[in-house]
Amino acid sequence: QKEVEQDPGPLSVPEGAIVSLNCTYSNSAFQYFMWYRQYSRKGPELLMYTYSSGNKEDGRFTAQVDKSSKYISLFIRDSQPSDSATYLCAMTKSGNTPLVFGKGTRLSVIA
Amino acid sequence: GAVVSQHPSWVICKSGTSVKIECRSLDFQATTMFWYRQFPKQSLMLMATSNEGSKATYEQGVEKDKFLINHASLTLSTLTVTSAHPEDSSFYICSASPTLGNEQFFGPGTRLTVL
């Protein structure tokens, strides 16, 4: 079993839809959870950062972490064509240890 | 805030030459920086962890004599690909973690093409 599992998609949704992306993990030592957005030929952009369990909201984005289930989610409300990208979940034990990434989910939002 | 830059953004070189890529944290100090490579349609693969003032820690299968990493200051790490070959062509991305913080911020990446 991989440390972090993420459905690679592709996922295609109409504009305005609510998008749900998720990852599961196996290492209970992970404390910091991140979601990155990566456009083609660009570096990943940090979207959401969460410590331990809980919810965090930023504009149209909501991140949820359930450590008891080892499950994290990213919700995108009112999705836009500009949200079309690859979304990577990542997690780590602390800031000076490497991130462990999911494979990334390719999202297309169709106008 | 939390901007990481990379230079150059792309480079084309001949086989056998060496290429240096710089990674800078512009508005924060980073004790730790990480180097990744990414092939098309694949996720990022960690190459090494770079700590300021000490030797880098390389992942299994990454040749430390081929990929030289120097982290001489709290805002700069460099990756030198020595005697580059076409199979080294890839997208190289660095990330930096603030000394006081746990997030990791990525640079825009460097596309290396070896002819």
Side-chain angles (χ1 to χ4, degrees), chain B residues 14-59:
Chain B
K14 291 183 180 179
S15 186
T17 59
S18 295
V19 174
K20 180 187 280 189
I21 302 170
E22 291 185 349
C23 176
R24 292 183 187 272
S25 55
L26 297 185
D27 50 4
F28 64 95
Q29 292 187 329
T31 306
T32 307
M33 291 184 173
F34 304 90
W35 287 95
Y36 298 82
R37 63 190 297 183
Q38 186 177 34
F39 292 105
K41 298 191 178 182
Q42 293 189 22
S43 193
L44 290 81
M45 288 174 45
L46 179 68
M47 298 175 67
T49 301
S50 166
N51 288 299
E52 185 264 340
S54 63
K55 290 185 179 180
T57 303
Y58 290 82
E59 294 299 298

Side-chain angles (χ1 to χ4, degrees), chain B residues 4 24 27 71 79-80 82-83 91 97 104:
Chain B
V4 176
R24 292 183 187 272
D27 50 4
H71 193 158
L79 167 68
T80 301
T82 62
S83 187
F91 193 48
S97 181
Q104 290 186 25

Side-chain angles (χ1 to χ4, degrees), chain A residues 32 34 36 38 40-46 49 88 92-99 101-104 106, chain B residues 32 34 36 38 41-44 46 49 51 59 91 93 95 97 101-109 111:
Chain A
Y32 301 91
M34 287 156 249
Y36 290 89
Q38 186 176 26
S40 182
R41 298 174 177 258
K42 302 287 185 185
E45 172 195 4
L46 179 63
Y49 162 73
L88 297 151
T92 185
K93 302 171 197 174
S94 69
N96 57 5
T97 56
L99 290 172
F101 283 93
K103 282 184 174 285
R106 270 189 8 191
Chain B
T32 307
F34 304 90
Y36 298 82
Q38 186 177 34
K41 298 191 178 182
Q42 293 189 22
S43 193
L44 290 81
L46 179 68
T49 301
N51 288 299
E59 294 299 298
F91 193 48
I93 313 174
S95 73
S97 181
N102 293 286
E103 309 97 317
Q104 290 186 25
F105 300 97
F106 283 83
R111 184 158 302 281

Side-chain angles (χ1 to χ4, degrees), chain B residues 46-114:
Chain B
L46 179 68
M47 298 175 67
T49 301
S50 166
N51 288 299
E52 185 264 340
S54 63
K55 290 185 179 180
T57 303
Y58 290 82
E59 294 299 298
Q60 194 172 8
V62 178
E63 298 175 58
K64 62 181 180 182
D65 294 329
K66 180 169 184 62
F67 297 100
L68 300 178
I69 292 172
N70 185 283
H71 193 158
S73 79
L74 286 172
T75 58
L76 173 65
S77 176
T78 60
L79 167 68
T80 301
V81 184
T82 62
S83 187
H85 290 284
E87 57 266 30
D88 298 324
S89 299
S90 188
F91 193 48
Y92 292 87
I93 313 174
C94 70
S95 73
S97 181
T99 302
L100 299 175
N102 293 286
E103 309 97 317
Q104 290 186 25
F105 300 97
F106 283 83
T110 297
R111 184 158 302 281
L112 170 64
T113 301
V114 185

Side-chain angles (χ1 to χ4, degrees), chain A residues 55-72:
Chain A
N55 295 356
K56 188 172 187 178
E57 188 173 321
D58 184 1
R60 296 185 295 112
F61 299 92
T62 300
Q64 291 184 349
V65 175
D66 181 350
K67 289 192 69 180
S68 62
S69 303
K70 298 190 179 69
Y71 187 90
I72 70 171

Side-chain angles (χ1 to χ4, degrees), chain A:
Chain A
Q1 182 191 10
K2 289 188 180 295
E3 268 196 299
V4 179
E5 300 270 8
Q6 182 178 9
D7 186 339
L11 179 62
S12 185
V13 302
E15 182 177 358
I18 296 174
V19 177
S20 172
L21 305 168
N22 52 72
C23 292
T24 58
Y25 64 96
S26 57
N27 190 341
S28 58
F30 290 140
Q31 295 282 352
Y32 301 91
F33 304 89
M34 287 156 249
W35 284 95
Y36 290 89
R37 176 174 62 194
Q38 186 176 26
Y39 293 110
S40 182
R41 298 174 177 258
K42 302 287 185 185
E45 172 195 4
L46 179 63
L47 281 178
M48 300 292 282
Y49 162 73
T50 310
Y51 169 68
S52 195
S53 284
N55 295 356
K56 188 172 187 178
E57 188 173 321
D58 184 1
R60 296 185 295 112
F61 299 92
T62 300
Q64 291 184 349
V65 175
D66 181 350
K67 289 192 69 180
S68 62
S69 303
K70 298 190 179 69
Y71 187 90
I72 70 171
S73 301
L74 177 71
F75 298 95
I76 307 174
R77 289 184 298 281
D78 188 25
S79 56
Q80 303 294 311
S82 58
D83 295 328
S84 299
T86 296
Y87 290 80
L88 297 151
C89 66
M91 47 203 78
T92 185
K93 302 171 197 174
S94 69
N96 57 5
T97 56
L99 290 172
V100 180
F101 283 93
K103 282 184 174 285
T105 300
R106 270 189 8 191
L107 171 67
S108 293
V109 181
I110 311 300

